[in-house]
Amino acid sequence: MIDNTDMTLVLEKLENLEDEVLAVEYLKKFNDASKKLGKLLLNLDQSLDHGEWKKACDESRDELDKIVLEIMSF
């Protein structure tokens, strides 16, 4: 997950972006990636064994980190 300080920075960055269409696009990407990771961390998919769960969490975290880096580069 992303901590509240980082969340605030990401949201401020998007809020101050001049290109509103791009801001909305990245907010959706950020929300979708955060939601996916949150569901995995809460282990809502009981069909995954531990190895599959760990791999899915790592991949989701990497995806979220990539989106955050893209947003912070604006």
Side-chain angles (χ1 to χ4, degrees):
M1 298 296 297
I2 186 167
D3 70 33
N4 286 341
T5 304
D6 290 339
M7 174 90 65
T8 301
L9 291 173
V10 166
L11 295 177
E12 284 178 2
K13 193 73 162 178
L14 290 173
E15 187 175 298
N16 293 322
L17 200 59
E18 288 186 29
D19 186 341
E20 291 179 8
V21 173
L22 186 63
V24 169
E25 177 185 329
Y26 270 89
L27 180 59
K28 180 169 178 12
K29 286 182 181 183
F30 177 77
N31 285 337
D32 290 346
S34 296
K35 180 179 176 180
K36 181 179 176 184
L37 181 58
K39 283 183 177 181
L40 283 167
L41 290 175
L42 293 174
N43 201 15
L44 297 178
D45 186 352
Q46 298 295 321
S47 68
L48 298 175
D49 69 27
H50 181 72
E52 293 171 325
W53 173 81
K54 173 76 169 111
K55 181 179 178 189
C57 284
D58 290 345
E59 289 171 354
S60 290
R61 181 64 200 189
D62 290 344
E63 178 184 347
L64 182 58
D65 288 345
K66 179 183 171 208
I67 293 167
V68 169
L69 284 174
E70 288 176 15
I71 291 169
M72 297 311 287
S73 72
F74 294 138

